[in-house]
Amino acid sequence: MRGFSFTLLVGILVGTYSSIFIASPVLVEFAHWKRKKEKAKMDKRTSASLARRQGSAAK
């Protein structure tokens, strides 16, 4: 019974460590990557829209 209790305690500690110190930075980095990707997409749309406006203004 003590061996199982020790194993369970180690599992809880490792899981907690993983959630706090490993998963959190990964989640933050993923959110940063997603915002960066969306910003690039919006910049691309904006530049295409400006190019169309400048093209129609030149006519």
Side-chain angles (χ1 to χ4, degrees):
M1 195 66 162
R2 286 186 180 185
F4 178 72
S5 299
F6 177 72
T7 304
L8 194 59
L9 181 63
V10 169
I12 290 170
L13 292 175
V14 169
T16 302
Y17 173 83
S18 172
S19 295
I20 293 172
F21 295 107
I22 296 173
S24 297
V26 169
L27 183 62
V28 168
E29 190 61 35
F30 176 73
H32 175 69
W33 173 79
K34 191 173 179 182
R35 276 194 309 267
K36 186 177 171 184
K37 186 177 174 183
E38 289 175 359
K39 185 179 183 306
K41 195 175 189 180
M42 290 299 285
D43 289 345
K44 186 176 178 182
R45 286 181 185 173
T46 303
S47 64
S49 175
L50 287 174
R52 280 194 306 255
R53 286 183 187 173
Q54 290 175 351
S56 65
K59 290 181 182 181

